[in-house]
Amino acid sequence: MKSFIILLLVGICLGCGEKIKEANLTNYQQWHTITLPFEGPDTKEDAAENPFLNYRLIVEFKHMETQQSIRGFYAADGQASETSADSGNVWQVRFTPDRMGKWTYTAQLQQGEGIALKGDDFEGVSIDITNASGEFMVIPSDKQGADFRTHGRLVNDKGYFRFKDSGKYWMKGGADSPENLLAYEDFDGTYRMQSSNEDGEAKTNDTIHSYRPHLKDWKNGDPTWKDGKGKGLIGALNYLSSKGMNVAYFLTMNIKGDGKDVWPYASPDNFTRFDVSKLEQWEIVFQHMQSKGILLHMVLQETENETMLDDGDTGPMRQLYLREMVARFGHHLGMNFNLGEENGYAEFTPISQNDAQRRAMTDFITEIDPYNHPILLHTHSHEPYRGYILDSIVGFKNLDGLSLQVDKREGAGEVMETWKTKARESGHEWMITMDEIGMWHTGAQSDSITPNHDTLRSNVLWGTLLSGGAGVEWYFGARNRYNDLNTEDWRTRDRLWELTGYALDFFQDNLPYWEMKANHKRINSNDAYCLEKPGEVYAIYLTDSKEHTIDLTAAEGTFQIQWFNPLTGGEMHLGTVSSIEGEGIRSLGRSSSKDNQDWVVLLKRTQTAK
């Protein structure tokens, strides 16, 4: 409270990295990233003494209640996003403090052959650096609304996203496409290696993303780099946020994959040298996403390249790649790692990681990530390939869940419920998100073709969320005009974002969904979906306006009935029956509207039986 009063008196609004002086200490805000620079030896990306392999920066942050060891990274001149520098003497560390009060830090830069691949307790030759120790104060965050710095870090809890510090649960909805979001012309060193015209892939030419339709969505005060670059992508993210969406899916490496236009390296054929300026420009975009409350769904590889590094093992090249991703971006509050798109064997991708390799990669990310981000596995779209892989790894403690792909949308809810149940029975609850809906060639089409996205709305959006899903993302298919690789304008699915937002609002405003389980048989309709906390609350999706019943034989008390329109969102409505009693099979009545459409029914117990 004392620190908060001081902040008010000073009257300074702190942004990420902004600071004030109080009692001779630098003050930072809770959940705002701190970037500390250290000057060491002059080097460059292609130096004979590889700065990514043969140097290691470790910074120990200590608080009276906790301490954390955070890896740093080579940052060229420390301003590479603006200068495009590939040389310099600056190393940096990024740290996001979760506790208020006084922190101290000590930094050590060491040199040695392959030391970046060694554990933190391995000793190398110590290198003198500036700013090697210090202390600072952490005061309350001034953020509000969707900004992740309002609530803190997202973790997996009970199969759902939860803010670790505030305890608030959170559900995602947003864009799975374009998967090559980072193939953007304003990023340094970014181009398409080869166009694609293969069956089973979206067609490409030599043009990468500009996001020009979203230039109008960039606002004064939004970030840019290099004298105005970045406005198209920043504007696109502004638009997505304005529709209430809170997640974007992107690959960080698609060498050999569909797009062949995203990689973190200085060159796509050398996996030991990273493009510092490009990665700094990615970081500007990622910071903006966090300020807009957009989850970073970071997909680490693609099915075509999952054995490119170390033949699929977590050997030196994969370890280096993962360490760089965690060191540079792991500080973000809203992020999950994805082991890779369509991971594992299928007929069309027979050269693939096996179960042991998936487990090893998962274990390594768990080991090196100081922030405990959820780790998900993106699945194949159908049986038997999905089951071959998942039956082997279900129950594995370090895998948080699935990034689910389903080919036939009418079965999406059943697939979700099946794997939620299998995971629960294994003793390790899985977070499962519905991230890619088929068929592969169609996915979510433009609003101009399917104005209300009827089958997606029914079977996928409501069907999977009411089957235990922790969120949904929309894949744009391979054969649509605006597809998974070439989409420049998210407005092509404007109505789909609206429909998704209505569902997210319903869940966040009305349900303790993290305490509920699917039980579709509760309703006398084969097409209905039901998520329940038995005897307390039931959320039911009906595909029509007919009168249906619910089995409340084992429930006691009085239940209020309200109706929600999934096409318009907004307020709840009363129907022809306002309340029902438990201990029997009861009619839900009908919506007061005469429209023959789908509806969501909410039952909440208002009083217990006498």
Side-chain angles (χ1 to χ4, degrees):
M1 178 61 71
K2 181 179 179 181
S3 296
F4 184 64
I5 293 171
I6 291 170
L7 177 62
L8 290 178
L9 291 174
V10 173
I12 295 179
C13 176
L14 298 178
C16 179
E18 293 179 346
K19 50 193 177 181
I20 61 174
K21 295 288 186 179
E22 193 274 317
N24 298 320
L25 292 182
T26 300
N27 284 11
Y28 296 96
Q29 293 187 65
Q30 185 183 28
W31 303 320
H32 291 229
T33 296
I34 301 167
T35 300
L36 297 177
F38 308 90
E39 293 183 6
D42 268 308
T43 185
K44 55 184 179 178
E45 290 175 0
D46 62 353
E49 189 74 32
N50 189 324
F52 307 103
L53 266 177
N54 297 335
Y55 290 89
R56 183 188 64 194
L57 174 66
I58 300 176
V59 184
E60 298 286 343
F61 291 91
K62 293 184 179 180
H63 182 276
M64 64 181 297
E65 297 176 351
T66 187
Q67 66 182 63
Q68 288 183 286
S69 178
I70 307 294
R71 286 270 188 132
F73 53 89
Y74 177 58
D77 67 351
Q79 303 176 66
S81 62
E82 294 293 330
T83 65
S84 295
D86 61 4
S87 64
N89 68 338
V90 178
W91 272 257
Q92 291 179 344
V93 70
R94 294 186 179 123
F95 174 61
T96 305
D98 60 352
R99 286 171 171 80
M100 291 185 287
K102 183 179 178 180
W103 287 80
T104 63
Y105 72 87
T106 56
Q108 186 175 34
L109 181 66
Q110 294 184 318
Q111 185 180 15
E113 187 69 26
I115 195 171
L117 306 176
K118 308 294 186 181
D120 290 358
D121 56 352
F122 180 86
E123 293 293 330
V125 176
S126 292
I127 306 296
D128 288 339
I129 55 174
T130 63
N131 196 33
S133 64
E135 54 188 10
F136 53 87
M137 292 290 294
V138 174
I139 59 180
S141 173
D142 65 353
K143 298 303 177 183
Q144 296 178 348
D147 192 318
F148 285 124
R149 292 169 294 181
T150 303
H151 297 289
R153 186 171 308 281
L154 283 175
V155 296
N156 172 34
D157 181 63
K158 300 179 182 178
Y160 288 96
F161 290 102
R162 180 179 63 82
F163 288 103
K164 178 182 177 183
D165 297 287
S166 71
K168 178 182 173 68
Y169 282 86
W170 182 93
M171 183 172 282
K172 75 170 185 177
D176 184 88
S177 295
E179 68 176 20
N180 61 342
L181 182 75
L182 300 179
Y184 179 40
E185 65 181 14
D186 284 1
F187 289 139
D188 287 352
T190 301
Y191 58 91
R192 178 163 290 131
M193 289 188 287
Q194 178 186 341
S195 61
S196 174
N197 197 36
E198 296 183 14
D199 290 340
E201 296 180 6
K203 305 300 185 286
T204 60
N205 53 32
D206 61 356
T207 302
I208 59 175
H209 292 298
S210 68
Y211 304 112
R212 283 185 178 84
H214 285 295
L215 286 171
K216 62 186 177 184
D217 297 307
W218 183 89
K219 307 295 183 186
N220 287 333
D222 287 341
T224 62
W225 57 91
K226 296 183 71 172
D227 196 26
K229 287 190 175 186
K231 290 182 178 180
L233 180 49
I234 295 296
L237 295 164
N238 285 348
Y239 164 76
L240 195 68
S241 174
S242 75
K243 302 301 294 186
M245 298 298 94
N246 58 19
V247 61
Y249 174 112
F250 56 87
L251 288 156
T252 50
M253 183 176 66
N254 67 8
I255 301 169
K256 296 185 177 183
D258 294 347
K260 302 177 181 66
D261 46 20
V262 178
W263 54 86
Y265 306 109
S267 169
D269 57 3
N270 186 337
F271 307 138
T272 70
R273 311 281 180 162
F274 292 83
D275 189 328
V276 173
S277 64
K278 178 197 292 187
L279 297 181
E280 288 301 291
Q281 291 159 3
W282 285 10
E283 171 63 12
I284 292 171
V285 173
F286 294 165
Q287 286 181 12
H288 189 66
M289 291 171 71
Q290 297 289 278
S291 74
K292 293 293 182 181
I294 297 176
L295 179 85
L296 309 177
H297 186 165
M298 182 177 286
V299 186
L300 294 166
Q301 57 188 357
E302 201 167 357
T303 189
E304 293 88 352
N305 66 22
E306 62 191 67
T307 61
M308 184 181 73
L309 302 178
D310 309 308
D311 295 323
D313 290 339
T314 302
M317 294 302 94
R318 188 176 302 273
Q319 289 183 30
L320 185 64
Y321 169 53
L322 296 175
R323 283 195 183 278
E324 287 286 332
M325 294 299 99
V326 171
R328 294 176 187 273
F329 308 125
H331 60 93
H332 288 296
L333 298 165
M335 183 171 79
N336 73 258
F337 292 113
N338 189 321
L339 295 183
E341 185 189 51
E342 297 176 336
N343 189 270
Y345 173 85
E347 285 183 344
F348 67 90
T349 175
I351 302 175
S352 59
Q353 286 185 299
N354 58 37
D355 183 64
Q357 291 172 326
R358 273 186 290 279
R359 289 171 180 252
M361 185 175 174
T362 305
D363 283 342
F364 187 73
I365 295 171
T366 301
E367 175 189 341
I368 67 172
D369 177 17
Y371 297 112
N372 194 31
H373 294 96
I375 303 173
L376 304 183
L377 169 65
H378 189 273
T379 73
H380 284 296
S381 65
H382 60 277
E383 304 300 339
Y385 303 113
R386 183 169 52 218
Y388 288 159
I389 295 163
L390 301 189
D391 280 334
S392 298
I393 204 168
V394 67
F396 181 51
K397 65 181 179 64
N398 283 338
L399 183 66
D400 290 285
L402 303 180
S403 174
L404 190 64
Q405 180 183 181
V406 178
D407 55 354
K408 296 179 181 179
R409 57 193 63 189
E410 61 271 17
E414 181 181 357
V415 174
M416 175 70 70
E417 186 180 9
T418 294
W419 288 104
K420 288 289 289 186
T421 301
K422 285 189 176 185
R424 190 175 299 120
E425 291 175 348
S426 76
H428 178 55
E429 184 89 27
W430 262 352
M431 171 194 289
I432 306 181
T433 57
M434 180 62 246
D435 291 339
E436 185 169 339
I437 192 64
M439 297 290 288
W440 66 268
H441 45 71
T442 306
Q445 295 176 299
S446 300
D447 294 344
S448 60
I449 299 173
T450 56
N452 282 320
H453 302 276
D454 294 332
T455 57
L456 292 183
R457 186 180 75 252
S458 175
N459 301 126
V460 185
L461 179 59
W462 289 97
T464 61
L465 295 184
L466 290 173
S467 297
V472 62
E473 297 175 8
W474 298 114
Y475 159 73
F476 294 171
R479 290 185 178 168
N480 293 318
R481 179 180 179 184
Y482 306 113
N483 61 45
D484 189 35
L485 294 179
N486 72 4
T487 295
E488 293 285 280
D489 188 354
W490 272 323
R491 280 187 176 83
T492 57
R493 276 78 173 182
D494 188 85
R495 177 62 170 153
L496 185 56
W497 310 133
E498 289 180 350
L499 296 168
T500 305
Y502 299 154
L504 296 184
D505 288 345
F506 176 85
F507 272 77
Q508 292 294 159
D509 294 344
N510 297 291
L511 301 178
Y513 51 84
W514 56 93
E515 298 176 346
M516 302 172 73
K517 292 181 174 61
N519 185 2
H520 306 320
K521 294 180 180 179
R522 183 74 65 188
I523 312 302
N524 72 326
S525 170
N526 293 330
D527 298 324
Y529 300 101
C530 178
L531 190 70
E532 64 175 16
K533 184 176 182 181
E536 294 190 29
V537 59
Y538 304 83
I540 302 147
Y541 178 85
L542 302 174
T543 59
D544 55 46
S545 297
K546 297 178 182 178
E547 190 166 338
H548 294 280
T549 62
I550 181 171
D551 186 351
L552 295 178
T553 302
E556 299 180 346
T558 302
F559 294 83
Q560 181 188 43
I561 302 179
Q562 293 179 291
W563 294 72
F564 178 81
N565 189 337
L567 286 166
T568 62
E571 298 293 325
M572 304 290 292
H573 306 280
L574 293 177
T576 59
V577 177
S578 60
S579 65
I580 53 178
E581 299 297 322
E583 299 183 285
I585 296 175
R586 308 300 186 199
S587 172
L588 295 170
R590 295 184 180 181
S591 164
S592 57
S593 170
K594 295 182 180 179
D595 293 338
N596 185 23
Q597 61 165 80
D598 51 331
W599 291 92
V600 180
V601 186
L602 176 66
L603 272 70
K604 283 190 173 181
R605 189 175 65 183
T606 59
Q607 62 184 48
T608 57
K610 294 180 181 179

